[in-house]
Amino acid sequence: MGKGGSSDCCKGPGYASPLDAMRKGPRERLAYIPAVQPREDKPDYLMTVDLNPESKTYSQVIHRLPMPHKGDELHHSGWNACSSCHSDGNRSRSLLILPSVGSGRLYAVDTATDPKVPRIAKTAEPEDIQKATGLAYMHSSHCLGSGDIMVSAMGSPSGEGTGNFILFDQDLKVKGTWTEATTEYGYDFWYQPRHNVMVSSQWGKPAEFTKGFNPAEVPNAYGDTLTFWDWQARTITQQIKLAHGFVGAALSSNVIHFTKNASEKWETSVVVRQPWTKVEGWVLPEVPPLITDILISLDDHFLYFSNWLRGDLVQYDISDPANPKLASRIWLGGVVRAGSSIKVTGGLPDDTPELPVLPKVKGHELLGGPQMIQLSLDGKRLYVTNSLFSSWDKQFYPDMVKQGSYLLQIDVDNSDILAGDCSSDIWL
């Protein structure tokens, strides 16, 4: 999401600190949303959405940038530079980085020349990436303080599972892998040099999850491990099984808190347990909430996460990180809803004794479930999309695939406690 540039004229991109971002960050004016085409004969595209409430085109898609290839399956976007480069006045946040899970391609989109009409500036082709690294299935992108761009890879070109990280320069030239070590599976990652740590998670074997979700393959083709890395040495220091910061464990749908103990080892504890909903008339006898995205406010006061299958978006007060307290919940879709053909026999959240009645937004029924989320810097607006992964969308929400996805703005009222999230920035 476009959130503005440097906090003063003499520094690089982003902000000097989370507090600086909260106090000085301007209101967002535009959002850039990857749109994945369910039809194989059409390319994915990047939407530009007007978020300026004073604009005549507020809340509308004002531009679509089609990709030059089909079958990319665009996923977690990032920036070429962020607050990790704030001390370097020669850096600028000018390129939106778009990894492709399906093709293994990487795009850099110029959002600086004309922010409302972005254009593709550079491309790293899968053949070049695979030749240099042997890796494919690009997932998450983060900018580094060195000026490099790091992207997680989830497997080999043949679809076998292997997790590693690829370094690119600002021209998207492959520099090699970040480490010689690998994990069984790859997925998301985040780093924090202050603690000399990077943490990475796991999804599964691409040859399996790209076909859709098969519960029978969970024991053999899906990951359940959190990996801790020495950021400077680029080596694995610890791995923790999550029994399939905070981590949202997708399938179990528990929230896990991890922290350093007195021996400087990372340890975990489940701090939020979510029941599966007992149902009749669905593909399984129980619906897992299925956490698919999670974020923490800049002031570490609130935790937000989305339950893509159950359909609710949740806010927890984490003032006491070991004992989160439910603050709010809103239902935005999902398979658990009033009027559905699926019969619910038990397992709803304690604060939702009856099946939720979903609101219509501008006359539209909310299909799919809340998935990707991002909070404005001032913490007053939470943006939500509902598409997860094309084969999974088709499997669980075919009506959404036919009728299209949404971007919602959720107003957040936390009285005097307002702080956005830092999913676009890392502070050194």
Side-chain angles (χ1 to χ4, degrees):
M1 190 170 298
K3 293 184 178 177
S6 64
S7 60
D8 62 69
C9 64
C10 303
K11 299 294 184 179
Y15 307 91
S17 68
L19 184 61
D20 193 38
M22 291 160 52
R23 291 177 173 176
K24 299 180 180 180
R27 177 175 175 136
E28 64 283 355
R29 300 289 183 176
L30 299 170
Y32 301 110
I33 313 293
V36 177
Q37 285 280 10
R39 291 176 49 177
E40 296 180 357
D41 61 339
K42 289 188 175 182
D44 298 345
Y45 58 90
L46 182 71
M47 294 187 297
T48 304
V49 180
D50 188 344
L51 300 182
N52 182 2
E54 298 178 358
S55 171
K56 293 181 179 180
T57 54
Y58 174 58
S59 78
Q60 297 179 29
V61 177
I62 58 174
H63 184 260
R64 290 177 174 85
L65 174 66
M67 299 299 106
H69 303 276
K70 302 181 182 70
D72 280 321
E73 185 87 33
L74 300 177
H75 220 62
H76 279 46
S77 60
W79 292 102
N80 68 309
C82 67
S83 293
S84 64
C85 302
H86 182 69
S87 62
D88 187 347
N90 294 319
R91 303 287 178 187
S92 64
R93 182 182 293 184
S94 58
L95 298 173
L96 184 68
I97 307 301
L98 299 178
S100 304
V101 174
S103 67
R105 188 174 283 108
L106 191 69
Y107 295 103
V109 176
D110 175 6
T111 61
T113 302
D114 187 345
K116 293 184 177 180
V117 186
R119 62 181 181 84
I120 295 175
K122 310 172 192 296
T123 305
E125 294 295 342
E127 296 81 8
D128 297 329
I129 296 172
Q130 292 168 18
K131 181 179 179 180
T133 67
L135 296 168
Y137 299 94
M138 305 291 102
H139 188 269
S140 299
S141 168
H142 290 302
C143 48
L144 307 188
S146 64
D148 290 337
I149 299 164
M150 190 155 85
V151 180
S152 61
M154 297 189 291
S156 67
S158 63
E160 294 301 313
T162 182
N164 208 324
F165 312 91
I166 304 173
L167 293 176
F168 298 84
D169 65 17
Q170 291 288 312
D171 292 320
L172 292 197
K173 301 298 183 184
V174 182
K175 299 183 68 174
T177 57
W178 177 76
T179 177
E180 295 181 359
T182 61
T183 55
E184 184 178 11
Y185 303 111
Y187 191 42
D188 218 341
F189 71 101
W190 195 264
Y191 70 91
Q192 180 44 263
R194 295 186 195 183
H195 292 282
N196 190 34
V197 68
M198 182 176 81
V199 186
S200 64
S201 57
Q202 299 181 345
W203 186 350
K205 184 178 179 180
E208 292 298 333
F209 71 68
T210 54
K211 296 185 295 185
F213 178 62
N214 181 356
E217 294 295 336
V218 169
N220 302 315
Y222 285 81
D224 61 356
T225 300
L226 202 62
T227 301
F228 293 84
W229 302 79
D230 183 306
W231 177 248
Q232 294 296 330
R234 305 185 183 186
T235 56
I236 295 173
T237 60
Q238 192 176 348
Q239 290 186 306
I240 298 177
K241 292 279 187 178
L242 296 179
H244 228 151
F246 287 90
V247 175
L251 192 55
S252 73
S253 298
N254 294 329
V255 176
I256 297 152
H257 177 232
F258 61 90
T259 186
K260 276 184 179 180
N261 59 25
S263 302
E264 292 293 301
K265 288 288 187 180
W266 296 94
E267 57 185 22
T268 63
S269 61
V270 177
V271 292
V272 177
R273 295 184 184 274
Q274 297 194 106
W276 289 25
T277 305
K278 294 179 173 56
V279 295
E280 296 176 2
W282 196 57
V283 293
L284 296 172
E286 293 182 296
V287 177
L290 201 73
I291 297 175
T292 54
D293 202 9
I294 186 170
L295 64 84
I296 297 175
S297 61
L298 282 169
D299 60 355
D300 294 336
H301 194 101
F302 288 107
L303 171 77
Y304 298 84
F305 60 86
S306 55
N307 290 313
W308 187 65
L309 281 179
R310 194 169 67 187
D312 53 317
L313 180 67
V314 189
Q315 179 195 51
Y316 272 82
D317 185 326
I318 54 170
S319 301
D320 179 358
N323 297 282
K325 298 184 183 303
L326 179 66
S328 184
R329 185 191 312 273
I330 185 172
W331 293 84
L332 299 174
V335 300
V336 177
R337 61 172 73 193
S340 169
S341 60
I342 298 170
K343 180 181 179 180
V344 174
T345 61
L348 287 173
D350 292 339
D351 59 297
T352 310
E354 304 292 336
L355 285 175
V357 177
L358 302 185
K360 286 191 174 182
V361 179
K362 294 186 175 180
H364 294 280
E365 180 183 3
L366 297 182
L367 302 174
Q371 209 280 92
M372 295 300 295
I373 55 178
Q374 184 159 1
L375 196 62
S376 60
L377 285 178
D378 60 11
K380 295 180 180 180
R381 295 164 301 283
L382 185 65
Y383 295 94
V384 187
T385 57
N386 62 341
S387 173
L388 175 60
F389 189 68
S390 59
S391 58
W392 292 44
D393 292 347
K394 294 174 183 177
Q395 180 179 0
F396 292 107
Y397 294 119
D399 288 343
M400 179 192 72
V401 174
K402 294 176 183 177
Q403 299 184 38
S405 300
Y406 61 63
L407 167 67
L408 296 179
Q409 175 187 307
I410 308 299
D411 293 332
V412 181
D413 181 9
N414 295 323
S415 298
D416 295 329
I417 305 172
L418 291 172
D421 80 269
C422 59
S423 57
S424 293
D425 287 274
I426 294 174
W427 281 273
L428 304 184

